[in-house]
Amino acid sequence: VSEPVEVGAVEAFADGQVTIVDIANRTIGVYRNGDEFFAMLNVCPHRGAPICQGTITGTMLPSPPGELVYGMDGYVLRCPWHGWEYDVRSGQSVCDVDKRRLRTFAVSTRNDHVYVEVGRDAS
Ligand code: FES
């Protein structure tokens, strides 16, 4: 059982950015995308890079031959070390190259403050 931990006021989180917070000796990235918030462990499942120093982006979606379809813009975190990409909403590897998932945590907002639950996955 874990209680949601307050990590700051909504306006303290810059839109489109990942802000690092420390909760219970874990380094966690809190990402704001407009009114949405996501939280993930700052450890890449591949080789342990500080993944929150990576880039928020989109990715190429599965599409018919000869078509290039870009999507998920703002929902993909790309690791700075080897470029693996994860969906910040689920922690799943984009393109399913690997079954290992980025550890994610449930985030909520209440009274203009942001709360992270380290005991509960986002998905
Ligand atoms: S450590 Fe993140 S892709 Fe290799």
Side-chain angles (χ1 to χ4, degrees):
V1 182
S2 81
E3 294 294 313
V5 175
E6 195 215 322
V7 291
V10 166
E11 72 257 18
F13 294 86
D15 194 8
Q17 308 256 317
V18 180
T19 303
I20 296 292
V21 300
D22 282 304
I23 304 174
N25 295 321
R26 287 192 251 202
T27 306
I28 292 170
V30 177
Y31 166 50
R32 178 177 184 181
N33 183 354
D35 292 335
E36 296 179 292
F37 284 87
F38 305 93
M40 64 288 274
L41 193 64
N42 189 23
V43 177
C44 180
H46 179 219
R47 292 278 169 81
I51 191 165
C52 293
Q53 291 173 13
T55 312
I56 294 284
T57 180
T59 196
M60 301 311 294
L61 301 177
S63 52
E67 261 182 60
L68 294 176
V69 183
Y70 181 81
M72 292 173 62
D73 199 25
Y75 293 107
V76 175
L77 177 59
R78 181 184 297 147
C79 182
W81 282 9
H82 312 103
W84 286 23
E85 295 176 332
Y86 296 89
D87 186 332
V88 296
R89 297 167 293 191
S90 64
Q92 275 179 340
S93 165
V94 174
C95 299
D96 229 10
V97 292
D98 195 84
K99 294 296 173 211
R100 283 171 283 189
R101 286 164 65 149
L102 178 63
R103 183 79 203 276
T104 57
F105 306 102
V107 190
S108 56
T109 56
R110 197 164 11 107
N111 299 330
D112 293 327
H113 283 74
V114 182
Y115 295 81
V116 175
E117 262 181 87
V118 291
R120 196 154 73 86
D121 279 8
S123 51

